[in-house]
Amino acid sequence: TQLLEQSPQFLSIQEGENLTVYCNSSSVFSSLQWYRQEPGEGPVLLVTVVTGGEVKKLKRLTFQFGDARKDSSLHITAAQPGDTGLYLCAGRKVNDYKLSFGAGTTVTVRA
Amino acid sequence: SAVISQKPSRDICQRGTSLTIQCQVDSQVTMMFWYRQQPGQSLTLIATANQGSEATYESGFVIDKFPISRPNLTFSTLTVSNMSPEDSSIYLCSVEGRQGRGTDTQYFGPGTRLTVL
């Protein structure tokens, strides 16, 4: 079983719609990262959240870290075809240098 | 953030052979990591490469199969030895970097796509 449960596994939506990806765990994390990976490339860091209850906005992307630092969500408003990719959450447990990755969510935005 | 390059970007190899993947970073970093990403899956940590000491391997990965070198603070290699088709994956190099407010995070190279026939 994975430390971080990511859902849904696949998401296909029409351009202009909104979407939310969830990342849940029973463990507490000192920080949580979200990455986006396009085919043939390495994951690109989108954001790091470190404070319980923190909300960060990156243009049309909104990231939230749960109050207990066990879960996170990524919300995309008015999705565009350029948002298509594999979204990965990754958490760093307290006093651990390693990242644990979720299984990933494949997002497809249709024009 | 760090700029990371990997060579080769892709390769097709015969079973039983070995391939060495290089990872170069544009700045000195203490910790470098090697991951494997099998088709359609997430990332699995193979090992942590520290300069001046042996790499630390995760459960399920051994030095004989995945020897790692870390000769200095900007370079590392991962060798995939005695390859089989099950080794067909993307291999990713990653480094620890520091963001604002002293937050540590990891940055990834572009990956090496390996196909074993």
Side-chain angles (χ1 to χ4, degrees):
Chain A
T1 52
Q2 293 205 251
L3 190 61
L4 279 164
E5 296 292 330
Q6 204 172 325
S7 62
Q9 187 177 358
F10 299 97
L11 201 51
S12 180
I13 60 170
Q14 201 69 34
E15 181 177 6
E17 293 181 339
N18 302 333
L19 69 95
T20 302
V21 179
Y22 300 93
C23 188
N24 297 300
S25 178
S26 57
S27 298
V28 176
F29 295 98
S30 60
S31 68
L32 198 137
Q33 284 84 39
W34 284 93
Y35 294 85
R36 185 173 78 202
Q37 185 179 23
E38 298 189 31
E41 301 186 9
V44 174
L45 180 68
L46 296 174
V47 78
T48 300
V49 286
V50 297
T51 305
E54 182 176 4
V55 177
K56 277 193 175 178
K57 292 196 174 187
L58 197 68
K59 297 184 181 178
R60 293 176 295 100
L61 278 60
T62 301
F63 304 86
Q64 190 159 8
F65 201 14
D67 290 341
R69 291 185 293 146
K70 293 182 180 181
D71 54 85
S72 180
S73 64
L74 155 63
H75 182 79
I76 302 179
T77 304
Q80 299 175 359
D83 295 325
T84 292
L86 175 66
Y87 288 82
L88 294 157
C89 67
R92 184 192 302 267
K93 292 175 72 175
V94 177
N95 296 323
D96 192 353
Y97 62 88
K98 292 185 285 189
L99 282 182
S100 298
F101 279 83
T105 297
T106 300
V107 171
T108 304
V109 183
R110 304 184 304 274
Chain B
S1 65
V3 177
I4 306 166
S5 60
Q6 284 185 236
K7 287 183 187 178
S9 58
R10 57 177 61 228
D11 207 341
I12 300 173
C13 302
Q14 296 296 320
R15 102 179 32 225
T17 62
S18 298
L19 176 72
T20 295
I21 302 168
Q22 299 179 6
C23 178
Q24 180 76 52
V25 192
D26 68 341
S27 57
Q28 293 186 337
V29 293
T30 304
M31 303 186 85
M32 294 179 79
F33 306 89
W34 287 99
Y35 288 83
R36 182 173 73 184
Q37 186 177 28
Q38 295 181 302
Q41 303 213 4
S42 187
L43 279 67
T44 301
L45 181 64
I46 297 172
T48 303
N50 302 307
Q51 196 264 336
S53 63
E54 278 204 1
T56 305
Y57 288 82
E58 297 300 303
S59 175
F61 297 97
V62 295
I63 188 170
D64 289 346
K65 175 68 176 177
F66 297 101
I68 287 171
S69 79
R70 181 82 199 272
N72 57 52
L73 291 174
T74 62
F75 187 79
S76 178
T77 67
L78 169 76
T79 298
V80 187
S81 303
N82 188 24
M83 288 184 284
S84 67
E86 292 70 38
D87 294 319
S88 297
S89 284
I90 298 171
Y91 291 86
L92 292 152
C93 168
S94 145
V95 303
E96 184 103 310
R98 181 145 282 197
Q99 288 188 295
R101 292 195 292 170
T103 305
D104 291 327
T105 190
Q106 286 188 23
Y107 299 95
F108 285 84
T112 295
R113 183 178 294 270
L114 171 62
T115 302
V116 184
L117 304 177

